[in-house]
Amino acid sequence: MKTITFDQIKTSSIALEFDELNTDNIYTWTEDDFAKYTVPVGNSRFPITDYFKITVEGEADSPNEVKMIMNGDMGRVKYIGFRMSGGEVIINGNADLHVGAEMSGGYVLVNGNAQAHAGREMSGGKLEIMGNTKEFTGASYIGEWRGVTGGEIIIHGDAGKQCGECLTGGSIHVLGNCDILAGIHMTKGTIEIDGNVNRWPGGQMKNGNIIIHGKLGRLLEGFVEQGIVTDPEISGKVYAGKYIQYSGDIALNGKGGLYIDAENNRDKLSAYSEGNDEYITLGDY
């Protein structure tokens, strides 16, 4: 096992770009190799040792045997974990744009917040963010129509707008709240949100499933109420409790599933009696 530790010396007002420094490319590197490397900073390149003290310990025969540890505030370091296929990246601070973008394997942990496009177009691996994320988490890049196709994203805080845009596989779990248009254009995969959702989840979705445990602010007109389901099993996982089930988005002849916690969203029911809390289906009202 090889451990490569980046201890931050100074920050940059212009973001450093780490797209060349994934585990696939550097698993054979020594401290001397890093001493010769210049990192892109805007339109220029500068020695990476101007910004980090880099320590290399152990040996690796493949990217799977590498752990990158980044200590400091990486809020101005983009593309950490970009296109990695294996190994681990531990960021002990915040991360800038595109953390974990296009990764196909391995594990990236952000012990802080992440900026926009976290986990963009992932096909495998696991991205875990202990804080909040900005917009387009697990989404496609601007102008593209395919986002995450596989892998797992876990956000312990809140997620910004259009989380899971164009999701075509894999799963996203937001333990906090989520802004507007989660799962817009999704065709497959699962988005689970423990907290509240602002507005319009699943807009123009064709397939896949969205599960909301908190309160939904506003639902799009393209979703048709199917009834109340108890302990639904979705993609092999059982979600305990009662959920209002919708299908949509019918504007695109979509067959996606939207499940929202019935107790937290009584105002969304087509019929509800305050004196009857033992509801199972709409017909029980």
Side-chain angles (χ1 to χ4, degrees), residues 162-167 178 180-187 191 193 200-207 210:
Q162 294 180 234
C163 176
E165 178 197 29
C166 296
L167 189 75
C178 200
I180 63 172
L181 294 170
I184 182 173
H185 302 306
M186 70 182 287
T187 59
I191 300 175
I193 302 165
W200 309 320
Q204 298 184 340
M205 72 184 294
K206 293 183 179 179
N207 215 321
I210 302 174

Side-chain angles (χ1 to χ4, degrees), residues 163-177:
C163 176
E165 178 197 29
C166 296
L167 189 75
T168 60
S171 66
I172 300 175
H173 187 180
V174 181
L175 278 68
N177 302 318

Side-chain angles (χ1 to χ4, degrees), residues 208-227:
N209 294 286
I210 302 174
I211 301 98
I212 299 171
H213 301 294
K215 186 172 178 59
L216 172 59
R218 184 174 175 183
L219 181 68
L220 283 165
E221 291 79 1
F223 285 86
V224 179
E225 187 179 294
Q226 300 296 313

Side-chain angles (χ1 to χ4, degrees), residues 58-231:
E59 300 291 336
D61 294 324
S62 73
N64 293 324
E65 299 176 5
V66 174
K67 177 185 285 189
M68 290 175 58
I69 300 174
M70 306 190 68
N71 297 319
D73 184 0
M74 306 300 151
R76 297 301 290 155
V77 182
K78 301 192 295 186
Y79 293 104
I80 301 173
F82 179 69
R83 291 184 178 172
M84 64 183 281
S85 67
E88 294 183 41
V89 177
I90 310 298
I91 304 166
N92 293 316
N94 300 321
D96 204 349
L97 298 165
H98 305 288
V99 61
E102 298 185 41
M103 63 185 292
S104 59
Y107 175 57
V108 176
L109 172 64
V110 182
N111 285 311
N113 302 319
Q115 290 293 324
H117 295 289
R120 169 176 66 82
E121 298 174 328
M122 282 174 56
S123 60
K126 180 178 179 180
L127 170 63
E128 187 166 11
I129 298 166
M130 302 307 294
N132 305 319
T133 63
K134 294 291 188 180
E135 59 269 21
F136 306 117
T137 299
S140 64
Y141 196 55
I142 297 169
E144 298 290 338
W145 285 94
R146 178 176 292 182
V148 167
T149 59
E152 178 183 12
I153 299 175
I154 301 175
I155 304 160
H156 289 259
D158 300 333
K161 65 182 181 180
Q162 294 180 234
C163 176
E165 178 197 29
C166 296
L167 189 75
T168 60
S171 66
I172 300 175
H173 187 180
V174 181
L175 278 68
N177 302 318
C178 200
D179 206 343
I180 63 172
L181 294 170
I184 182 173
H185 302 306
M186 70 182 287
T187 59
K188 197 176 179 182
T190 303
I191 300 175
E192 180 180 5
I193 302 165
D194 288 1
N196 301 325
V197 175
N198 191 339
R199 286 171 289 169
W200 309 320
Q204 298 184 340
M205 72 184 294
K206 293 183 179 179
N207 215 321
N209 294 286
I210 302 174
I211 301 98
I212 299 171
H213 301 294
K215 186 172 178 59
L216 172 59
R218 184 174 175 183
L219 181 68
L220 283 165
E221 291 79 1
F223 285 86
V224 179
E225 187 179 294
Q226 300 296 313
I228 295 177
V229 293
T230 302
D231 300 337

